[in-house]
Amino acid sequence: MEATVRRVRQVFGETLPADFLSSKEYSLYERLYGPPLQMTRPEDVALLHELEKTPIAEDILPRAALMKENVDGDLEEVDYKERVLEEDEFPRGPQDIEAENRNVDGVEDTANMENTEDVENAEDVQNTEDDVDSSSGYVRSHPLTIAGRFATSPATLRLPKDTFIDPVTSIFATYSNKHLTEAAERIFGGPGLPNSAATPKSKRHLQQRPVALEASQSNMSNMEANVYLAAIMPAAYATVMGILVEVRKRLGSEWVEGLLKKDGGPRFLDAGAGGAAALAWRDVVKAEWARSEIGIISEADVPPQGKTTVVTGSSELRRRASQLLENTTFLPRLPDYVPARDLVAPGEGEPPARKQYDVIVAPHTLWTLKEDYMRKAQVQNLWSLLNPDGGVLILVEKGLPRGFELIAAARETLLKNQIASPDSLQVENELQSPSEERFLQKENGMIIAPCTNHFQCPMYTVAGQTKGRKDFCHFSQRYHRPPFLQDILGAKDRNHEDVKFSYVAVQRGKDKRRTDNITQGISAADAAFAGYNGLETSEVETLNGDESTESPSLSMPNTLSLPRSVLPPIKCRGHVILDLCTPAGRLERWTVPKSFGKQAYRDARKSQWGDLWGLGAKTRVLRNVRLGTIKDGKKTKGKGGIEVGLEADEEEDTLKEFSRRKSKYDKRTKKVWTGKSGKNLREDNF
């Protein structure tokens, strides 16, 4: 309406034909320009229609012109031709210069990288908008690049309003924002909530601590339950949603469709998110139901809910979670795994069937356990609750060095004791009785994500905790904070947050390496380095809808045999550097220059942290990894210059730190400190 009024003003000026505008348009006209000076004649109305039909000559259109002064002092136009710049020819900013400087010594400092805006905004880049040309429909990205992306769509998640934000907001309606903020800062370590599920960048120099509240803890006050909903569940939902999307990509649509076809629907267990993981799972099932043939053919509007179980130890948290989740079973704790129950006693028949789930998500359940044997028992317990015919287990911890070490240890436990590989089919039974066999057969299974190998983790070469670890495997997911979390954090400049996490997803009972002939190892890494660019022409044309008579020279590989980018790519001028964890179980640095190929170079510049890469590279080198120090404070280098570390003794570290804080008047002799009083002080005195 406003455009119409302005157009009329341009045509008729300060006059206006009678009854030319409607009452609403005329009131807007008077508000913008005042009443017209006079009413024009009816013949003037035809002028408007003739003006719209008359094309505007190109020579009278405004255009940009370059002028220069001649010898006479007059201005004359200079003819010039515009040239479209290539992507690597754009002017470099401070971020690009800093990215090039990071490649000085060949070693990346993850902590320094995360301080740059490139890393913070990496997840917010919408690569899907650049995949297809809107005018011609041409697919710019290689099909293997699209299939290997680690990202949700859109990249920045929005929490569900009807099932999460509105119910939680109504719960907080009777509570003061000031009281919620004070309780959250008291529980989670002060402003910024560093001890929550998402540690802010400004608080990562503090001591690493687990999440201060657990869903399984039995004692939780009224305010603590509110703080759990406000500070833990939003980040947990975003983390689990990003992981479930990645698992669904690697297993294919038949994974969720097969669960929907089961009698009674899928069985899901939320073992540590207080219901946030269950909400994310239901959203994934709902989206799969809407796009699959099952949902289109079915007369039901909603997918089968199946059976959802959530572990909530506190009655206060259970009461609040029940307002978010319908038809849900709540357990105070996980059932303990007792190996003896599997043994059949004479005359007692079969043991009772154990509850089994198709999908188990266990966020933040390992860090709070103090001893290593307790964490191994927890992993064993969760594995035993999985459906032996394709159950999926997802373990998640905070994206900190200690969180990664716990996930890597759980991965090593599963590979050593449960998951069979071609070179490891049996495990020694260390607690066998005389009637039992010494070696036990492992089960079929595989790692789905993020690893594309079943070897030892190159970032976890020695078990235990290290000090000063700089490189660790973790990923990021961006989400929009809900209003109540914004109020608690006191954030005013931005409403999104990047939650960092380490995870591992495994499947029990099925091994796609055998059924789908997936190759992993050195041969898969070499094939990925050579690149699958033979698919470039025919596959892209097929995706565009054009029938191609050409057949690709290479078959489309499975994404589970491709290397994964474990750090943000370094985009330099004329080349891109990718830090990849290869299917051979090694950490390598691949360089993709512009001369390597137009498609590979373009996709490398568009790649993001966590993507799988299959278009090859020109050079590759073994990447040095800084993994910290051993407990006596000395650095030990393993193969390839990789620094490894052993488990540190906290009491001894405290003793050494206290010993360094002696007075400047103290004199140190061999293994003896002499104080002011002249009395010899030994380690026993501390």
Side-chain angles (χ1 to χ4, degrees), residues 111-384:
N112 292 335
M113 292 176 58
E114 292 176 353
N115 290 332
T116 63
E117 291 295 329
D118 295 338
V119 181
E120 285 297 321
N121 298 329
E123 289 298 320
D124 199 47
V125 177
Q126 298 289 344
N127 285 333
T128 55
E129 297 179 357
D130 299 331
D131 288 340
V132 182
D133 190 347
S134 58
S135 59
S136 62
Y138 178 76
V139 180
R140 295 191 182 101
S141 298
H142 194 277
L144 205 58
T145 303
I146 300 175
R149 285 213 178 102
F150 177 80
T152 57
S153 181
T156 303
L157 290 177
R158 292 185 179 273
L159 303 184
K161 188 174 185 298
D162 297 334
T163 58
F164 183 74
I165 295 180
D166 289 345
V168 174
T169 303
S170 63
I171 293 174
F172 294 163
T174 57
Y175 296 92
S176 170
N177 288 334
K178 180 180 179 181
H179 293 169
L180 287 173
T181 303
E182 292 176 352
E185 293 180 354
R186 172 176 51 84
I187 295 171
F188 296 116
L193 313 183
N195 297 335
S196 62
T199 301
K201 181 177 61 176
S202 60
K203 303 293 183 180
R204 292 183 186 175
H205 65 281
L206 301 177
Q207 183 179 1
Q208 302 178 50
R209 293 186 181 276
V211 177
L213 289 179
E214 291 185 276
S216 59
Q217 68 183 57
S218 58
N219 297 324
M220 190 177 292
S221 65
N222 196 12
M223 189 60 70
E224 288 176 343
N226 291 335
V227 170
Y228 187 93
L229 262 66
I232 302 297
M233 293 187 69
Y237 174 90
T239 299
V240 175
M241 175 60 74
I243 296 174
L244 288 176
V245 169
E246 177 68 13
V247 171
R248 189 263 176 203
K249 288 181 180 179
R250 302 306 147 228
L251 294 181
S253 59
E254 60 272 9
W255 171 55
V256 182
E257 291 179 2
L259 296 179
L260 294 175
K261 294 178 182 178
K262 290 182 56 177
D263 294 337
R267 298 172 62 91
F268 181 84
L269 174 62
D270 182 348
L279 290 173
W281 168 251
R282 289 185 176 182
D283 289 344
V284 170
V285 172
K286 191 182 302 182
E288 189 68 29
W289 177 265
R291 63 157 297 278
S292 64
E293 296 181 357
I294 305 175
I296 298 175
I297 298 175
S298 177
E299 298 179 355
D301 297 333
V302 295
Q305 293 290 338
K307 184 176 179 59
T308 303
T309 305
V310 179
V311 176
T312 52
S314 170
S315 59
E316 295 291 339
L317 181 60
R318 188 181 310 117
R319 181 168 57 86
R320 287 162 174 77
S322 62
Q323 300 181 36
L324 310 178
L325 298 167
E326 298 179 353
N327 302 324
T328 303
T329 302
F330 293 93
L331 296 179
R333 63 178 181 84
L334 283 176
D336 295 329
Y337 171 71
V338 182
R341 64 178 285 119
D342 298 334
L343 301 177
V344 181
E348 294 185 1
E350 295 291 333
R354 184 174 174 82
K355 292 183 179 180
Q356 294 177 338
Y357 299 91
D358 299 310
V359 181
I360 298 178
V361 180
H364 315 299
T365 58
L366 301 176
W367 198 335
T368 54
L369 301 177
K370 301 300 182 182
E371 301 295 338
D372 186 52
Y373 75 90
M374 300 171 66
R375 291 188 285 267
K376 291 182 178 179
Q378 176 81 345
V379 174
Q380 174 68 34
N381 190 19
L382 293 171
W383 177 266
S384 66

Side-chain angles (χ1 to χ4, degrees), residues 385-553:
L385 292 172
L386 273 181
N387 182 3
D389 187 19
V392 174
L393 171 63
I394 299 174
L395 300 174
V396 188
E397 284 295 338
K398 295 175 65 174
L400 296 174
R402 184 54 183 159
F404 157 73
E405 291 170 351
L406 297 173
I407 293 298
R411 174 186 181 273
E412 184 176 349
T413 299
L414 292 173
L415 289 177
K416 180 180 179 181
N417 300 325
Q418 303 297 339
I419 299 177
S421 296
D423 56 344
S424 178
L425 300 176
Q426 294 180 334
V427 58
E428 185 176 0
N429 186 7
E430 299 178 354
L431 301 178
Q432 83 278 9
S433 62
S435 60
E436 296 178 349
E437 297 181 359
R438 179 179 177 183
F439 294 96
L440 302 178
Q441 294 292 330
K442 294 183 180 180
E443 302 182 54
N444 287 336
M446 67 173 302
I447 299 176
I448 306 170
C451 311
T452 57
N453 67 83
H454 289 69
F455 305 106
Q456 186 182 35
C457 177
M459 293 189 181
Y460 192 71
T461 54
V462 178
Q465 181 180 359
T466 60
K467 291 182 58 178
R469 176 186 289 271
K470 299 299 182 181
D471 294 318
F472 55 99
C473 181
H474 66 294
F475 304 92
S476 176
Q477 176 63 54
R478 174 168 291 186
Y479 71 97
H480 284 288
R481 296 188 189 122
F484 49 82
L485 183 56
Q486 281 284 96
D487 295 338
I488 291 176
L489 293 174
K492 298 180 181 179
D493 54 343
R494 61 187 179 97
N495 66 339
H496 63 266
E497 185 172 3
D498 297 316
V499 54
K500 305 294 193 301
F501 58 91
S502 296
Y503 79 101
V504 63
V506 296
Q507 188 174 30
R508 180 184 182 187
K510 293 184 178 180
D511 190 353
K512 296 174 72 70
R513 295 174 294 174
R514 299 180 180 180
T515 58
D516 297 354
N517 295 324
I518 297 176
T519 303
Q520 293 182 350
I522 299 178
S523 59
D526 294 340
F529 176 74
Y532 296 94
N533 292 321
L535 297 170
E536 183 173 346
T537 302
S538 59
E539 289 293 337
V540 172
E541 290 180 355
T542 304
L543 289 177
N544 290 334
D546 301 331
E547 295 295 334
S548 176
T549 57
E550 296 184 24
S551 59
S553 59

